[in-house]
């Protein structure tokens, strides 16, 4: 007994072949005729699953998925209950979970979610099953896909949005390769949000108070902490490439190995959780806020990306002579054209936009260049096989599934529409005009009217995501800051 609007959405969403809506005193009867999608697990795989759980002495399983913010949501099950849920596909969760803000507040009104607690199936992706290194009780973690009861994938779940873009590329004989670079700050535990963050005391007994980019000794201040990160990543099968000290005090950058977009989004999702857990183990906090410190550089999540032909395995960004191909330029043209529309996925919070100021290491526009780290789109010098584009605009606070999906979607549209990029620049990008949204409300407005992105990422998803972001911004508007009290209290 749902609204006519809601039932129509369900019919469209689930691709129902035939349905009948009967309105009788505001009561709806819906008749569905649809081939169910099988998501079961075969006997051999089920046997392997049971053996793995038994050999690792697992007593409970965390069934998790990323919400709109990229935060961890899900359910914890005793191991026997988990096995049964896999056998009979009985694990469910209310779809209203995607109508929550980053602080857990529900959006007040939605065109997509009616808050009638319609269930979605949580289908574990067993390829992501790992033993958690931080729990004393033997515990496993598995990332789940969200499906409607009909079997169709959720239209609003971030992991499913990325899978939709991956499938779109596959339908066009393309496979994406990505490599995220994640920055984060270490800080003392902060129990009062009104007090600025402090850098933690390292093994020397001193706090870092200045920049020491690429400083080996600065990294070694926290070598025990970083050793635990490597150990945790090895247990979770997260491919860590390189580690450096970044520009800010106690700011670390860790690069992940390149690979499949879904696997790298899963690894980034797990990596952020692992880093926070290691920090707690050492009595400190790790934050992926885009701009946690006033007067210091922000934290980013640069995304290296290229496309490969499924038929021949060649990087389509290089032509037969090893030079930049026409599709390479089209891809950059797509990023330049659509990235401002997709900005809310790369900078999802009010704090995100504090990164984009001149001479603060973050780009302020969508210009591109070869080996130019002042622009939004950098092309590293590489072999023809490794020709790629680095999107330097996303912050570390992004949902990795959505940031990767949006970046690939923008480039894909450039290829489909044969878009030509502007000429590359060799000078400082900070000398050029700021051409990306400066504030969250501007970014929300742009994504709401971007029909092309909505077409390939999903109109319901775009609508719901914009609703969540608007609710978060409205909550921010209710807060009176220390700056306002300091400068306005007695001067206006």
């Amino acid at each position: 007994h749902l609204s006519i609007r809601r039932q129509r959405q369900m019919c469209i969403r689930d691709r129902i072949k035939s349905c009948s809506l009967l309105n009788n005193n505001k009561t709806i009867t819906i008749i569905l005729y649809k081939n169910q999608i099988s998501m079961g697990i075969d006997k051999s795989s089920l046997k392997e699953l049971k053996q793995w759980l038994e050999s690792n002495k697992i007593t409970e399983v965390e069934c998790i998925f990323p919400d709109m913010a990229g935060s961890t949501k899900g359910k914890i099950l005793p191991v026997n209950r988990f096995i049964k849920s896999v056998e009979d596909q009985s694990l469910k969760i209310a779809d209203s979970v995607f109508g929550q803000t980053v602080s857990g507040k529900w959006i007040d009104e939605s065109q997509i979610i009616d808050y009638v607690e319609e269930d979605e199936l949580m289908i574990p992706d067993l390829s992501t099953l790992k033993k958690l290194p931080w729990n004393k009780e033997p515990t496993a973690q598995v990332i789940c896909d969200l499906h409607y009861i009909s079997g169709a994938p959720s239209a609003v779940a971030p992991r499913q949005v990325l899978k939709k873009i991956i499938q779109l590329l596959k339908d066009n004989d393309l496979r994406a390769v990505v490599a995220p670079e994640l920055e984060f700050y270490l800080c003392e535990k902060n129990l009062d949000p009104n007090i600025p963050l402090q850098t933690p005391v390292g093994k020397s007994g001193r706090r870092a108070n200045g920049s020491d980019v690429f400083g080996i000794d600065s990294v070694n201040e926290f070598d025990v902490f970083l050793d635990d990160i490597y150990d945790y990543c090895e247990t979770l099968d997260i491919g860590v490439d390189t580690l450096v000290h970044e520009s800010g005090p106690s700011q670390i950058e860790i690069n992940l190995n390149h690979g499949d977009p879904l696997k790298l989004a899963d690894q980034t999702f797990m990596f952020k959780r692992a880093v926070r857990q290691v920090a707690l183990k050492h009595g400190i906090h790790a934050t992926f806020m885009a701009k946690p410190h006033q007067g210091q550089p922000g934290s980013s999540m640069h995304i290296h990306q290229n496309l490969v032909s499924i038929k021949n395995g060649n990087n389509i960004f290089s032509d037969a002579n090893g030079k930049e191909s026409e599709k390479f330029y089209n891809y950059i043209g797509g990023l330049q054209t659509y990235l401002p529309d997709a900005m809310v996925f790369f900078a999802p919070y009010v704090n995100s936009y504090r990164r984009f100021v001149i001479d603060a290491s973050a780009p302020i526009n969508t210009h591109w260049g070869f080996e130019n780290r002042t622009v939004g789109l950098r092309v590293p010098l590489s072999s023809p096989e490794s020709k790629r584009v680095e999107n330097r605009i996303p912050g570390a606070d992004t949902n990795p599934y959505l940031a990767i999906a949006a970046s690939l979607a923008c480039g894909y549209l450039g290829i489909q529409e044969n878009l030509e990029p502007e000429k590359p620049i060799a000078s400082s990008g900070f000398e050029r005009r700021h051409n990306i949204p400066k504030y969250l409300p501007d970014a929300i407005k742009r994504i709401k009217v971007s029909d092309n992105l909505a077409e390939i990422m999903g109109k319901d998803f775009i609508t719901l995501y914009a609703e969540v972001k608007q609710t978060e911004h409205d909550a921010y508007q209710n807060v009176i800051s220390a700056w306002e009290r300091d400068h306005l209290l007695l001067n206006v």
Side-chain angles (χ1 to χ4, degrees):
H1 300 284
L2 306 177
S3 67
I4 287 282
R5 176 182 59 79
R6 180 62 166 162
Q7 294 291 7
R8 283 174 179 156
Q9 287 175 347
M10 290 169 62
C11 289
I12 295 170
R13 177 193 64 198
D14 292 348
R15 302 176 189 147
I16 293 168
K17 294 181 179 179
S18 174
C19 68
S20 174
L21 297 176
L22 306 176
N23 189 1
N24 180 20
N25 295 328
K26 297 184 180 180
T27 299
I28 286 87
T29 302
I30 185 165
I31 305 168
L32 309 179
Y33 303 93
K34 184 179 187 299
N35 293 330
Q36 294 294 308
I37 300 173
S38 176
M39 296 171 288
I41 179 172
D42 59 70
K43 292 182 179 179
S44 175
S45 299
L46 184 61
K47 182 179 179 180
E48 290 180 11
L49 171 63
K50 291 178 178 179
Q51 288 175 343
W52 185 90
L53 294 169
E54 184 176 353
S55 65
N56 285 278
K57 300 180 176 157
I58 300 298
T59 59
E60 58 184 23
V61 180
E62 295 183 0
C63 299
I64 64 173
F65 59 88
D67 66 359
M68 289 297 193
S71 299
T72 306
K73 293 290 194 295
K75 296 184 176 182
I76 302 176
L77 285 69
V79 66
N80 291 333
R81 174 68 183 88
F82 169 72
I83 293 173
K84 185 176 187 304
S85 74
V86 172
E87 290 175 322
D88 57 19
Q89 298 177 23
S90 59
L91 188 58
K92 300 175 184 178
I93 199 163
D95 71 348
S96 57
V97 67
F98 295 111
Q100 284 183 299
T101 68
V102 68
S103 63
K105 175 181 170 61
W106 303 98
I107 54 178
D108 296 327
E109 294 182 5
S110 174
Q111 299 180 52
I112 307 303
I113 292 181
D114 274 349
Y115 298 107
V116 292
E117 300 302 313
E118 180 191 350
D119 283 338
E120 292 192 16
L121 295 172
M122 294 174 60
I123 307 297
D125 181 344
L126 297 181
S127 69
T128 69
L129 183 67
K130 309 294 178 186
K131 185 176 181 180
L132 290 180
W134 53 79
N135 277 27
K136 291 183 179 180
E137 188 73 19
T139 304
Q141 168 188 277
V142 65
I143 300 175
C144 296
D145 283 319
L146 278 292
H147 289 256
Y148 299 114
I149 300 302
S150 65
S154 170
V156 297
R159 194 171 193 260
Q160 273 49 59
V161 172
L162 176 55
K163 292 180 78 170
K164 181 178 181 180
I165 300 301
I166 292 171
Q167 184 61 49
L168 182 65
L169 293 172
K170 185 177 180 181
D171 293 342
N172 287 269
D173 184 40
L174 295 172
R175 174 175 59 84
V177 179
V178 303
E181 300 175 347
L182 281 140
E183 296 172 347
F184 58 92
Y185 275 93
L186 302 179
C187 60
E188 291 210 336
K189 284 188 175 181
N190 183 267
L191 305 180
D192 185 348
N194 291 309
I195 299 176
L197 301 180
Q198 277 195 312
T199 55
V201 175
K203 69 180 183 181
S204 68
R206 298 174 61 88
R207 301 181 193 276
N209 57 12
S211 175
D212 190 21
V213 63
F214 301 128
I216 297 299
D217 290 338
S218 293
V219 169
N220 287 337
E221 283 283 290
F222 303 100
D223 53 4
V224 178
F225 168 87
L226 295 171
D227 286 345
D228 280 346
I229 287 182
Y230 277 112
D231 290 343
Y232 280 23
C233 286
E234 184 176 357
T235 301
L236 294 169
D237 199 22
I238 298 172
V240 174
D241 184 10
T242 57
L243 179 152
V244 299
H245 192 281
E246 260 299 337
S247 300
S250 302
Q251 186 186 29
I252 309 295
E253 178 185 300
I254 292 182
N255 303 338
L256 302 185
N257 293 324
H258 66 275
D260 173 76
L262 184 64
K263 289 183 179 179
L264 265 298
D266 286 341
Q267 288 186 31
T268 304
F269 176 51
M270 293 187 292
F271 175 81
K272 293 172 81 169
R273 190 180 187 205
V275 169
R276 293 192 192 97
Q277 291 293 328
V278 172
L280 292 175
K281 175 183 175 181
H282 289 268
I284 60 176
H285 280 162
T287 178
F288 291 89
M289 275 181 66
K291 189 81 167 181
H293 292 289
Q294 182 176 323
Q296 297 292 345
S299 292
S300 64
M301 188 186 78
H302 298 164
I303 305 173
H304 292 252
Q305 58 210 270
N306 67 280
L307 298 178
V308 173
S309 168
I310 293 176
K311 289 182 181 178
N312 57 31
N314 292 335
N315 183 348
I316 71 164
F317 285 1
S318 298
D319 62 19
N321 299 316
K323 300 294 184 181
E324 292 77 25
S325 68
E326 187 64 28
K327 285 185 171 60
F328 164 83
Y329 290 110
N330 293 154
Y331 193 91
I332 292 178
L335 286 170
Q336 288 189 315
T337 300
Y338 288 104
L339 194 148
D341 289 350
M343 189 68 181
V344 73
F345 301 118
F346 307 127
Y349 306 104
V350 172
N351 178 262
S352 309
Y353 295 82
R354 302 188 189 280
R355 278 182 60 228
F356 306 111
V357 293
I358 294 175
D359 296 330
S361 301
I364 60 171
N365 50 49
T366 58
H367 290 293
W368 75 283
F370 293 94
E371 279 299 344
N372 189 338
R373 284 179 166 83
T374 68
V375 295
L377 305 169
R378 167 180 169 253
V379 178
L381 294 179
S382 63
S383 66
E385 295 78 15
S386 301
K387 185 74 66 180
R388 62 193 185 275
V389 181
E390 178 191 15
N391 182 354
R392 297 173 58 81
I393 288 180
D397 57 347
T398 62
N399 180 328
Y401 297 92
L402 299 182
I404 293 173
S407 200
L408 295 176
C410 292
Y412 167 81
L413 285 171
I415 292 176
Q416 292 299 109
E417 299 172 15
N418 294 314
L419 298 179
E420 292 295 327
E422 299 173 0
K423 291 182 178 180
I425 67 172
S427 58
S428 173
F430 298 123
E431 297 174 355
R432 307 298 179 98
R433 72 180 183 88
H434 196 130
N435 70 357
I436 54 178
K438 288 186 176 183
Y439 309 105
L440 181 59
D442 297 336
I444 296 172
K445 288 178 183 177
R446 292 200 65 149
I447 193 59
K448 288 170 71 173
V449 297
S450 183
D451 293 337
N452 288 351
L453 282 175
E455 186 66 30
I456 62 175
M457 295 185 76
K459 294 179 181 179
D460 280 0
F461 163 72
I462 293 291
T463 299
L464 182 57
Y465 190 79
E467 290 173 346
V468 170
K469 294 295 117 183
Q470 187 62 58
T471 302
E472 289 173 349
H473 184 264
D474 291 345
Y476 171 80
Q477 288 292 85
N478 289 325
V479 177
I480 309 302
S481 68
W483 185 95
E484 292 165 276
R485 290 188 292 272
D486 188 23
H487 293 278
L488 304 180
L489 185 67
L490 300 178
N491 294 330
V492 296

